[in-house]
């Protein structure tokens, strides 16, 4: 008999978005305050895990139709590409660049290529965590 | 190109990530993997020619000044090892295509091999002790995946042991690095080589040096830390075993070589004496194992341990002959071990078993294979025109010039036992009454035999053309014996 978990599911629908927003905040704040790609990725994964707890694996697969192994590979490629971009400019590997830009909504913002590397880390962390949890969860 | 030293690390990494995108398309996996390793080989050759003309290539990542960023240093020793490890991986890839099975190929076999290569090449190139730890973890993670790949019962059992041993030794590695950092305040190897001679607390540094010997000894399988190796290496399929036997322990050997010549030289009387004694014990323990078994895999596995002992004995002498001999023997051993494992792999396919007593009379049906095996066996034992000879000769000479003539005598005597252990395979499997063999397709046999034979031919070239290779080997030896060359290349500004 399946118990009625309407409370859990309703709360999840709200809380998941809060966690996701917090993950994005942590991810972007990494350069100046504690946080970064690793914690951001773990928080994102935890939001998806909450969905999996409240609903079930097939439903979550329908909501978030992502192949997490591919996500990991893409994250790796982004990270390597950021580091390798320095080869094109003939400076030592992993040399980063930054500049200030006037963005329409944010005003004067410093954009740093370390951010792209962090994006790669973020995707790898989400991909690896979710692959582990999904594989164990689906195992009979 | 200031980044040339990084290409043999970055190229397999990119290809491994790309390979993760389409695991089920086997033919694409094969093509992309071979393309990736070939590209790495080309870049390693470029790097080799650059290092041999312009000297040590050092680059500090992120444009930071040298002791603060991570330095990647490609001297002659590391580029020789990168070159031979890439070569071995290429041949093992060709060999895995007919042997490893479609099911394994579809579950990320090739990405794991390329990640392993990333870790091995990175460990050979890095100039930072903590980065060395990271690269060793990269190759260990890939090796965990490979040792359990396929999930057969013996693989599962042995991978648990392998994991346990390596996790413990990695934890020791981290503590050793922590001790070293708290004493010296730096992690860059060149900077360590500058700072360690200035420190008066030789006692604590000796303790740290011995701790590093324990850590790398676990990875390199020295006496008495080799107990995990015979069982663990017995479990995976032959192509993976060839990769492990040729590359993994050699990373530990290289790490001992580097640390014991570059900066742990403050108390040679104790540390290098210890290393020499342990090396001799390693050789003896390996010989006992190699003679004790009637299993072709086990015999070659114990020969890995013997070779580790021989190389480390050369290093412990700290003279030109010993160090150059070790370098030559290290390169020779990577190639010959891969070749022998591949040859033995073909044997087990033909007979359907790895038990020597169930083999026999193969020379009539496979003459070329038989003679190739004999050449590889003689090469391993160090019969003069072949590749095992120059290295061992120099190591023995180093022992006589140094204080350990008894060690040289042991090496000479045990060479006979090494020869006996492999010729026993030849006698049992190729002579005598023909035993029952599995009929295998001619094309399938050739696809296994051709890469193996080319690898054996390469070792013959290495041995017969030793005169050509010696200048590079003595270049590499010079950097090891004069740390100032290494230090100047890294901390130039």
């Amino acid at each position: 008999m399946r118990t009625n978990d309407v409370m859990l599911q309703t709360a999840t629908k709200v809380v998941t978005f809060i966690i996701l927003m917090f993950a994005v905040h942590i991810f972007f704040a990494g350069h100046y305050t504690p946080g970064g790609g690793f914690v951001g990725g773990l928080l994102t994964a935890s939001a998806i895990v909450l969905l999996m707890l409240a609903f079930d694996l097939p439903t979550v697969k329908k909501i978030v139709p992502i192949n997490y192994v591919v996500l990991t590979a893409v994250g790796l490629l982004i990270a390597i590409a950021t580091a390798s971009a320095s080869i094109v400019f003939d400076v030592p590997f992993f040399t980063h660049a930054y500049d200030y830009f006037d963005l329409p909504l944010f005003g004067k913002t410093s954009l740093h290529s370390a951010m792209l590397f962090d994006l790669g880390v973020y995707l790898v962390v989400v991909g690896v965590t979710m692959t582990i949890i999904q594989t164990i969860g689906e195992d009979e | 190109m200031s980044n040339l030293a990084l290409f043999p690390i970055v190229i397999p990494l990119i290809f491994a990530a790309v390979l993760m995108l389409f695991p089920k398309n086997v033919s694409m996996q094969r093509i992309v993997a071979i393309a990736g390793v070939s590209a790495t080989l080309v870049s390693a050759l470029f790097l080799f020619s650059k290092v041999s003309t312009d000297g040590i290539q050092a680059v500090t990542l992120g444009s930071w000044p040298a002791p603060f960023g991570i330095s990647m240093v490609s001297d002659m020793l590391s580029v020789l090892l990168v070159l031979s490890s890439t070569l071995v991986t290429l041949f093992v890839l060709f060999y895995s295509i007919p042997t490893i099975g479609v099911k394994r190929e579809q579950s990320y076999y090739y990405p794991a091999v390329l990640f392993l290569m990333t870790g091995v090449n990175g460990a050979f190139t890095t100039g930072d002790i903590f980065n060395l730890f990271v690269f060793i973890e990269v190759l260990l993670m890939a090796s965990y995946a490979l040792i359990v790949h396929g999930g057969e019962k013996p693989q599962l059992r042995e991978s648990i042991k392998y994991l346990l041993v390596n996790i413990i030794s990695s934890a020791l590695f981290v503590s050793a690095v922590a001790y070293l950092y708290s004493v010296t305040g730096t992690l860059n190897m060149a900077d360590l080589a500058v700072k360690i001679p200035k420190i008066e607390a030789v006692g604590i540094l000796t303790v740290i040096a011995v701790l590093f010997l324990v850590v790398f000894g676990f990875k390199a399988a020295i006496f008495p830390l080799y107990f995990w190796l015979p069982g663990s290496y017995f479990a995976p399929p032959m192509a993976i075993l060839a990769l492990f036997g040729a590359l993994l322990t050699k990373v530990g050997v290289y790490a001992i070589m580097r640390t014991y010549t570059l900066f742990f030289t403050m108390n040679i009387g104790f540390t290098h004496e210890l290393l020499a004694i342990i090396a001799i014990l390693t050789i003896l323990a390996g010989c006992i194992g190699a003679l004790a078994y009637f299993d072709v895999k086990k015999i070659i596995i114990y020969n890995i341990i013997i070779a580790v002992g021989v190389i480390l004995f050369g290093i412990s002498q700290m003279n030109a002959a010993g160090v150059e001999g070790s370098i030559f023997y290290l390169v020779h051993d990577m190639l010959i071990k891969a070749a022998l494992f591949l040859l033995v792999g073909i044997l087990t396919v033909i007979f359907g078993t790895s038990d020597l007593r169930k083999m026999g009379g193969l020379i009539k049906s496979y003459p070329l294979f038989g003679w190739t095996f004999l050449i590889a066996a003689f090469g391993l034992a160090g019969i003069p025109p072949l590749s095992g000879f120059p290295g061992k000769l120099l190591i023995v000479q180093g022992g006589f010039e140094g204080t350990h003539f008894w060690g040289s005598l042991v090496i000479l005597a045990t060479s006979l036992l090494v020869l006996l252990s492999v010729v026993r395979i030849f006698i049992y499997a190729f002579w005598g009454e023909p035993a029952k063999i599995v009929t295998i397709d001619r094309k399938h046999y050739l696809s296994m035999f051709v890469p193996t034979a080319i690898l054996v031919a390469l070792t013959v070239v290495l041995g017969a053309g030793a005169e050509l290779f010696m200048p590079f080997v003595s270049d590499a030896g010079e950097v090891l014996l004069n740390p100032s060359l290494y230090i100047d290349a890294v901390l130039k500004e």
Side-chain angles (χ1 to χ4, degrees):
Chain A
M1 194 195 81
R2 189 170 166 76
T3 47
N4 192 341
D5 39 16
V6 67
M7 298 279 255
L8 178 63
Q9 290 186 352
T10 317
T12 300
K13 281 172 194 165
V14 182
V15 172
T16 302
F17 283 102
I18 298 173
I19 299 177
L20 281 177
M21 294 315 289
F22 185 53
V24 172
H25 167 75
I26 284 275
F27 170 70
F28 279 106
H31 202 80
Y32 294 108
T33 55
F38 187 79
V39 204
L42 279 184
L43 272 170
T44 311
S46 74
I48 306 173
V49 170
L50 182 63
L51 279 179
M52 285 174 169
L53 285 175
F55 300 91
D56 52 1
L57 277 179
T59 321
V60 177
K61 265 192 177 166
K62 220 189 290 168
I63 305 171
V64 196
I66 296 175
N67 181 343
Y68 291 107
V69 178
V70 171
L71 191 72
T72 312
V74 170
L76 263 180
L77 284 174
I78 292 176
I80 308 166
T82 314
S84 314
S86 53
I87 292 176
V88 180
F89 301 103
D90 201 26
V91 283
F93 198 70
F94 256 116
T95 304
H96 285 289
Y98 71 98
D99 206 349
Y100 291 93
F101 294 95
D102 263 324
L103 296 182
L105 204 57
F106 300 95
K108 192 182 172 200
T109 320
S110 93
L111 292 181
H112 197 294
S113 64
M115 188 86 207
L116 285 172
F117 185 80
D118 236 18
L119 180 68
V121 174
Y122 174 89
L123 294 179
V124 170
V125 170
V126 175
V128 168
T129 320
M130 292 321 296
T131 312
I132 294 171
I133 290 169
Q134 220 175 38
T135 334
I136 296 175
E138 280 170 346
D139 208 32
E140 290 302 320
Chain B
M1 274 312 262
S2 55
N3 289 302
L4 199 58
L6 283 151
F7 278 38
I9 308 165
V10 177
I11 293 173
L13 186 57
I14 293 173
F15 275 89
V18 169
L19 281 169
M20 283 170 72
L21 296 173
F22 45 87
K24 298 293 173 208
N25 189 342
V26 174
S27 52
M28 269 310 271
Q29 287 269 314
R30 291 172 178 173
I31 294 168
V32 175
I34 285 173
V37 179
S38 311
T40 314
L41 187 61
V42 170
S43 71
L45 281 171
F46 267 114
L47 181 61
F48 176 73
S49 69
K50 179 96 176 156
V51 171
S52 59
T53 51
D54 299 359
I56 303 173
Q57 298 292 309
V59 51
T60 302
L61 301 188
S63 302
W64 301 105
F68 305 113
I70 294 171
S71 297
M72 296 304 242
V73 189
S74 207
D75 63 348
M76 197 33 108
L77 172 63
S78 83
V79 76
L80 277 177
L81 296 177
V82 165
L83 200 55
S84 27
S85 74
T86 313
L87 210 57
V88 165
T89 316
L90 186 63
F91 283 107
V92 170
L93 269 193
F94 280 122
Y95 185 88
S96 350
I97 289 170
T99 59
I100 206 79
V102 171
K103 236 184 153 159
R104 278 201 172 94
E105 287 178 274
Q106 283 182 335
S107 11
Y108 304 102
Y109 172 73
Y110 294 112
V113 170
L114 285 171
F115 278 126
L116 185 80
M117 210 172 86
T118 310
V120 169
N121 285 352
F124 286 148
T125 312
T126 185
D128 183 286
I129 197 89
F130 194 75
N131 200 235
L132 177 67
F133 168 76
V134 174
F135 273 120
I136 285 182
E137 284 303 300
V138 169
L139 75 91
L140 281 177
M141 294 277 169
S143 77
Y144 300 152
L146 283 173
I147 202 168
V148 78
H149 204 261
E152 290 159 18
K153 203 173 167 191
Q155 284 185 296
L156 292 172
R157 186 184 61 230
E158 294 304 332
S159 65
I160 290 178
K161 292 182 202 165
Y162 182 72
L163 257 163
L164 269 177
V165 166
N166 277 306
I167 286 174
I168 290 168
S169 71
S170 295
L172 275 177
F173 195 169
V174 176
S175 355
V177 170
Y179 292 141
L180 188 62
Y181 184 67
S182 69
V183 173
T184 60
T186 181
L187 292 171
N188 187 302
M189 290 194 201
D191 203 28
L192 279 170
V194 174
K195 294 220 167 106
I196 282 183
K198 291 182 190 155
I199 292 172
E200 282 163 15
V202 172
I204 188 99
L205 281 171
T206 309
V207 172
I208 294 170
V210 173
L211 193 54
F212 269 101
L213 184 63
V214 171
V215 167
F216 295 138
F218 263 115
K219 319 278 184 205
I222 62 173
F223 180 88
L225 307 170
Y226 68 91
F227 54 86
W228 55 272
L229 185 131
S232 299
Y233 279 21
F234 194 70
M238 201 54 88
I240 296 174
L241 173 53
L243 213 52
F244 281 20
L247 305 182
L248 294 196
T249 50
K250 307 302 178 287
V251 174
V253 172
Y254 165 80
I256 294 177
M257 267 175 134
R258 186 61 87 192
T259 50
Y260 270 59
T261 54
L262 188 60
F263 47 82
F264 288 137
T265 48
M266 61 288 151
N267 191 1
I268 289 183
F270 182 78
T271 49
H272 288 58
E273 184 78 23
L274 181 70
L275 188 62
I277 293 168
I278 284 179
I280 293 301
L281 289 174
T282 310
I283 297 175
L284 293 176
C287 283
I288 293 170
L291 292 175
Y293 285 93
F294 270 98
D295 187 294
V296 286
K297 273 185 179 177
K298 275 265 156 65
I299 293 172
I300 311 293
I301 286 172
Y302 275 102
N303 268 301
I304 301 178
I305 299 171
I306 301 173
V308 166
V310 172
I311 298 166
L312 289 182
F313 180 75
I315 279 300
S316 71
Q317 299 310 305
M318 285 297 272
N319 52 24
V323 168
E324 282 171 19
S326 293
I327 295 164
F328 198 99
Y329 202 78
L330 185 53
V331 172
H332 143 79
D333 194 59
M334 287 169 92
L335 299 177
I336 199 85
K337 281 289 140 55
L340 273 172
F341 276 119
L342 299 185
L343 284 166
V344 161
I346 301 175
L347 264 187
T348 58
V349 171
I350 291 176
F351 285 107
T353 171
S354 61
D355 190 347
L356 261 185
R357 280 167 295 200
K358 290 177 186 149
M359 301 180 176
L362 204 62
I363 200 78
K364 282 176 192 139
S365 35
Y366 292 94
L368 192 59
F369 174 44
W371 298 123
T372 314
F373 186 87
L374 191 67
I375 290 173
F378 281 173
L380 180 73
I383 306 275
L386 299 168
S387 61
F389 176 68
K392 222 172 217 175
L393 178 73
L394 284 168
I395 291 174
V396 168
Q397 188 194 338
F400 282 129
E401 282 171 5
T403 49
H404 301 92
F405 71 96
W406 47 272
S408 294
L409 294 179
V410 172
I411 289 181
L412 289 173
T414 51
S415 296
L416 290 175
L417 300 180
V418 171
L419 184 63
L420 177 62
S421 72
V422 274
V423 162
R424 218 163 46 122
I425 301 181
F426 182 75
I427 291 172
Y428 271 84
F430 291 95
W431 290 355
E433 284 301 301
K436 192 163 63 72
I437 57 172
V438 184
T439 42
I440 50 171
D441 186 25
R442 189 80 198 155
K443 219 173 130 192
H444 182 62
Y445 163 71
L446 279 181
S447 62
M448 288 190 291
F449 180 64
V450 170
T452 316
I454 298 174
L455 197 53
V456 174
L458 274 179
T459 66
V460 174
V461 171
L462 180 69
E467 199 73 6
L468 289 174
F469 295 107
M470 268 332 271
F472 305 121
V473 172
S474 43
D475 263 15
E478 205 183 325
V479 176
L480 285 193
L481 291 170
N482 299 318
S484 57
L485 293 176
Y486 188 95
I487 297 167
D488 290 344
V490 179
L491 305 172
K492 50 194 170 237
E493 271 88 27

